[in-house]
Amino acid sequence: MDLGRLPEACYLGESSRQYLRDTEVSMKELEYAQNAVGEFGEDNRTGIEGTLHRISAIRNREGKVVGLTCRVGRAIRGHIDMVQDLLQYGKSILFVGRPGVGKTTVMREIARVLSEELQKRVVIVDTSNEIGGGGDVPHPAIGGARRLHVLEPLMQHRVVIEAVENHMPEVIIVDEIGTEADVNACRSIAERGVMLVGTAHGERLKNIVENPTLCDLIGGVETVILGDQEARTRKCRKTILERKAPPTFPFCVEMRKRHYWVTHRTDRSVDLLLQGKKPLVEVRRRDKQFKVVIERWKMED
């Protein structure tokens, strides 16, 4: 809903946009909607109590709301069947993918499965209340997981550390790891033996490797100068890039489409990418009958 424009709905698929009526959105309607959903946070987001919907505001220079984006959130059971086997290992998993591919929906379902089916102590650091929904009582879709609110987005890393120190979790779920402080907090948690499930900005593992802020999630990258003999043995240049530490997330899942995911053993894939080679991956997809098909150790496209 944008001031002076026709309201429209956006969907996945071929007919992705549809106008809802032939009259423009007025300031009175925006004010009514704003009053109905309540105060927006520092990130210009709010929710509707008891639901998974998210309302985001667009403001003008004076701070007045001139547009609203209303995202419909749904809980989809069985959505993690393509990676449910990975949860048995108890190792941290990083999900990457473009906006709208379903990362938050996966976080929500993982929280439910780990807390209810696997009986783990799960804590969600819910910065924008997207995983657990609006209000003080979290949505039933997260099962028995506990949810910590974050007052301001820049405080996310503090709440992540607080979750470990105060609430004895076996698993921490955090959406949208994006700052250096978030990365350092995740590394600290991994060293304490807590399983992490998180999402990060980027479409593929390669984007994380090339991102100077996020690359420490996959072990970090350093420049190494080889001796003459070592360079001849490796048949490479004397100056090379290498992974400098074990990855915070042993598994990385690229959500390329809603029904097409690519799974990496992070350490192996990062090492091959730094050598300029294509990693071996597991392709996990759903066929036409929505059955999960796993193709193991294929050369990445």
Side-chain angles (χ1 to χ4, degrees):
M1 297 169 60
D2 290 327
L3 180 65
R5 292 184 175 181
L6 302 182
E8 62 178 335
C10 301
Y11 307 92
L12 291 174
E14 295 180 1
S15 55
S16 59
R17 299 174 66 180
Q18 180 178 336
Y19 290 113
L20 301 178
R21 69 184 192 198
D22 56 5
T23 54
E24 299 171 346
V25 175
S26 68
M27 181 59 75
K28 185 177 180 180
E29 288 174 318
L30 289 173
E31 290 173 351
Y32 175 85
Q34 186 179 355
N35 291 333
V37 299
E39 293 294 324
F40 289 87
E42 292 288 330
D43 55 359
N44 274 322
R45 295 176 179 179
T46 189
I48 300 174
E49 189 166 353
T51 75
L52 298 171
H53 310 323
R54 189 184 81 188
I55 316 298
S56 303
I58 298 173
R59 299 181 184 273
N60 61 15
R61 288 178 178 270
E62 287 74 39
K64 182 172 277 190
V65 173
V66 293
L68 293 173
T69 301
C70 310
R71 292 183 62 177
V72 177
R74 295 178 298 167
I76 304 176
R77 290 211 170 197
H79 195 56
I80 63 163
D81 52 359
M82 289 201 287
V83 292
Q84 191 146 1
D85 59 310
L86 299 183
L87 301 181
Q88 310 292 334
Y89 294 107
K91 303 290 186 181
S92 298
I93 308 172
L94 179 68
F95 289 84
V96 298
R98 59 181 175 77
V101 80
K103 297 189 294 297
T104 303
T105 303
V106 171
M107 296 295 102
R108 196 178 294 126
E109 178 67 355
I110 286 178
R112 185 192 67 80
V113 170
L114 286 172
S115 63
E116 289 191 343
E117 298 181 13
L118 300 182
Q119 295 294 302
K120 298 286 188 182
R121 297 190 303 273
V122 181
V123 173
I124 300 170
V125 177
D126 205 0
T127 304
S128 299
N129 285 357
E130 278 196 84
I131 300 176
D136 293 333
V137 179
H139 195 278
I142 67 171
R146 305 178 77 188
R147 187 259 298 275
L148 296 185
H149 292 271
V150 181
L151 294 178
E152 300 176 10
L154 292 178
M155 292 177 60
Q156 176 172 274
H157 64 284
R158 296 185 187 177
V159 181
V160 169
I161 297 297
E162 177 191 329
V164 177
E165 294 178 344
N166 292 355
H167 303 290
M168 300 181 300
E170 294 174 282
V171 183
I172 287 182
I173 295 177
V174 55
D175 204 4
E176 295 185 7
I177 301 166
T179 67
E180 186 176 353
D182 291 342
V183 172
N184 292 336
C186 289
R187 289 179 60 192
S188 173
I189 289 171
E191 291 169 0
R192 304 184 198 199
V194 177
M195 177 182 174
L196 270 171
V197 181
T199 68
H201 306 286
E203 289 193 48
R204 301 199 179 190
L205 176 61
K206 184 178 180 181
N207 301 133
I208 307 299
V209 174
E210 295 173 348
N211 187 316
T213 302
L214 301 179
C215 69
D216 278 353
L217 294 175
I218 49 81
V221 178
E222 63 182 355
T223 302
V224 177
I225 300 176
L226 304 176
D228 294 338
Q229 182 60 42
E230 181 68 17
R232 282 194 292 269
T233 302
R234 296 195 188 190
K235 297 181 181 179
C236 65
R237 297 175 298 177
K238 292 183 65 175
T239 302
I240 62 172
L241 296 176
E242 286 190 348
R243 178 170 50 85
K244 63 182 179 182
T248 302
F249 293 89
F251 295 111
C252 177
V253 179
E254 299 174 356
M255 298 177 63
R256 298 191 181 176
K257 299 178 182 178
R258 284 187 177 266
H259 303 297
Y260 187 94
W261 300 357
V262 173
T263 305
H264 294 266
R265 283 288 298 271
T266 308
D267 52 357
R268 298 176 185 175
S269 292
V270 170
D271 291 345
L272 288 170
L273 285 169
L274 293 176
Q275 295 170 24
K277 300 177 182 178
K278 291 184 176 181
L280 293 173
V281 299
E282 287 187 352
V283 174
R284 297 165 178 246
R285 58 182 177 83
R286 293 187 181 94
D287 61 18
K288 293 181 179 179
Q289 285 74 42
F290 287 92
K291 292 183 178 180
V292 175
V293 178
I294 301 179
E295 301 173 52
R296 300 190 184 276
W297 309 125
K298 287 184 60 178
M299 188 74 74
E300 185 182 24
D301 295 335

